[in-house]
Amino acid sequence: MIAVIMAGGKGTRIASVSTEVPKPMIPLCGKPVLEWQLECLKAQNITEILLVTGHLHQVISDYFGDGSRMGMQISYLVEESPLGTAGAFYYLKDRLDGDFLLLNGDVMFDVDFARFVQAHQHYGGAATIFTHPNQHPYDSAIVVCKENGQVVNWLHKEEKREWYANRVNAGLHLFSPGIFEWMKAHGMLQKPEKLDLDRQVLKPLLADGLLYGYQSPEYVKDMGTPERYEMVQRDIRSGLVSARNLANPQKAVFLDRDGTINKYVGFLRSAEQMELLPQAAQAIRKLNEAGWLVILATNQPVLARGEVSEEELTEIHNKMETLLGKEGAYVDAIYYCPHHPDKGFAGERPEYKIECSCRKPKPGLLFRAAQDYHIDLKKSWMVGDSAADMGAGKAAGCKTAGVYGEKSGDESFATLAEFAAFLCGREKA
């Protein structure tokens, strides 16, 4: 597979770090971000690279040459005048005849591309974008997907709804060769012209059902501001960047929802009732920054009882993610059990009135997450405010921590914030 890397950025937002090299050549821990990208690709046997350059092209070509010193084959497409993030497709159409990666040259990443490619081939669309949660969804474009991965909405910053899931386009893309015929059919590629990849190519694919999103918690960070640049350098030094590649076993903190993240109100039936507990967002952010996957595992019998629809539950979780995102925190995934075996409720849904393997204290939700994200359950924690949470964690082989009065876990803490301080402090010791 060929990887096309858009390496022509000027880096105006990060000019205080460096103005003498193009953005992909800004050094991170002594090495250009573009070199980190190429090393990640090389480690996964992706060795044929096409660099789309422009601004200070010679700096890039002098450094990498033909790629032979890295054991790669590097060729160049030089834009004499800027063509935007998708104008290069005019030239790519004559050079590519199979699936190809298109990567932004100014992001730091270490991801398992085999998983990404497998998902793209399974979806069968014209394009698959790599999506993930981030610490600043409020100033990012939000991607809305169906359960099968199909993207059904693309909300730019000026288009966001009140509540939204923290799912952001990370700047890594997979395309099938059919994208060129689709672009031609939509009046593009007739001549070299400036095109915006997100607004003029990816978002319009939604109307034809041809765009999919691959969700992953792996490390992908834009280092385009001085603050994010320093954060990426810290993450490289700590080993977090490489550790988050899903080829490696992951460590996770599984969190109950009601009474652990948000205030307990009995059966929570509407987004209006969702209110984060004090310091919950700060605790989750601490876990995020320390490299733990943070995964929600919650029983939601209100679905079986017919008191909340899937759409209403999604809105509740969207509000939770929005509130967390405003504080720079996020959950990597949400798993919920919709079942409730007891019958006799008005409006109940018979398909959910079953004995299942996912309703805590059974461990099914944790097992599903472990399968999806290569989680080492023995190195993970289940945290919650009930004996059912502790039971699920123990049945899955996790360590357990009770919060807000729950005493049946391996450890107990007054608040989620105290647990996060304990866990992150223990790792630093």
Side-chain angles (χ1 to χ4, degrees), residues 252-263 275-288 292-297 320 324 329-331 381-386 389-390 400-406 411-425:
V253 173
F254 296 97
L255 294 179
D256 176 48
R257 195 190 76 182
D258 302 323
T260 301
I261 296 176
N262 58 282
K263 291 184 177 180
E275 183 180 352
L276 297 182
L277 284 164
Q279 301 299 308
Q282 292 86 339
I284 292 172
R285 179 171 180 168
K286 184 183 289 287
L287 296 171
N288 296 146
W292 291 86
L293 297 187
V294 179
I295 296 178
L296 186 68
M320 180 193 73
L324 289 173
Y330 56 86
V331 294
W381 288 79
M382 176 71 221
V383 183
D385 67 330
S386 74
D389 299 323
M390 302 302 96
T400 56
V403 292
Y404 300 104
E406 176 52 46
E411 305 281 351
S412 61
F413 302 90
T415 65
L416 181 59
E418 285 191 11
F419 165 77
F422 156 79
L423 186 59
C424 297

Side-chain angles (χ1 to χ4, degrees), residues 317-331:
H317 287 152
N318 285 353
K319 181 178 181 182
M320 180 193 73
E321 291 202 69
T322 303
L323 295 176
L324 289 173
K326 288 179 178 178
E327 302 294 331
Y330 56 86
V331 294

Side-chain angles (χ1 to χ4, degrees), residues 13-158:
R13 292 183 301 158
I14 199 170
S16 62
V17 174
S18 176
T19 58
E20 299 178 355
V21 297
K23 190 175 179 183
M25 294 299 292
I26 291 177
L28 288 166
C29 297
K31 199 157 47 179
V33 61
L34 183 55
E35 189 167 4
W36 287 103
Q37 292 185 348
L38 292 175
E39 287 179 350
C40 177
L41 293 165
K42 169 70 182 313
Q44 298 177 63
N45 297 314
I46 301 173
T47 59
E48 189 172 354
I49 310 296
L50 174 58
L51 296 180
V52 180
T53 62
H55 178 63
L56 297 177
H57 157 75
Q58 202 65 37
V59 174
I60 297 176
S61 60
D62 286 349
Y63 188 92
F64 292 104
D66 64 1
S68 56
R69 73 173 177 85
M70 297 185 68
M72 307 181 85
Q73 303 172 41
I74 298 178
S75 57
Y76 298 87
L77 172 57
V78 183
E79 294 181 349
E80 299 300 332
S81 59
L83 293 176
T85 48
F89 276 66
Y90 174 80
Y91 300 101
L92 296 179
K93 71 182 189 303
D94 298 321
R95 300 179 66 161
L96 305 176
D97 58 5
D99 289 356
F100 63 96
L101 281 162
L102 182 72
L103 312 174
N104 291 352
D106 58 357
V107 295
M108 182 66 190
F109 60 74
D110 195 330
V111 306
D112 185 349
F113 282 105
R115 284 176 176 251
F116 190 19
V117 171
Q118 184 179 30
H120 174 66
Q121 293 173 345
H122 171 74
Y123 295 146
T128 302
I129 57 176
F130 189 109
T131 65
H132 67 152
N134 73 12
Q135 292 180 318
H136 50 97
Y138 45 83
D139 68 358
S140 304
I142 297 296
V143 178
V144 182
C145 296
K146 294 165 64 174
E147 284 191 16
N148 68 355
Q150 187 178 25
V151 180
V152 294
N153 207 349
W154 187 299
L155 303 170
H156 293 287
K157 288 184 286 188
E158 68 274 15

Side-chain angles (χ1 to χ4, degrees), residues 351-386:
E351 68 271 27
Y352 289 152
K353 289 293 179 177
I354 62 171
E355 290 286 349
C356 66
S357 61
C358 55
R359 179 173 168 79
K360 295 179 295 184
K362 294 179 180 178
L365 296 178
L366 281 62
F367 286 152
R368 279 174 49 201
Q371 177 69 29
D372 291 343
Y373 295 118
H374 196 185
I375 295 170
D376 184 341
L377 291 169
K378 292 182 179 179
K379 294 183 179 179
S380 300
W381 288 79
M382 176 71 221
V383 183
D385 67 330
S386 74

Side-chain angles (χ1 to χ4, degrees), residues 157-182:
K157 288 184 286 188
E158 68 274 15
E159 300 173 312
K160 288 202 186 89
R161 299 176 298 179
E162 184 177 14
W163 313 123
Y164 49 85
N166 187 342
R167 187 166 188 168
V168 175
N169 180 21
L172 315 181
H173 320 79
L174 268 164
F175 287 96
S176 298
I179 188 64
F180 300 120
E181 293 306 314
W182 182 91

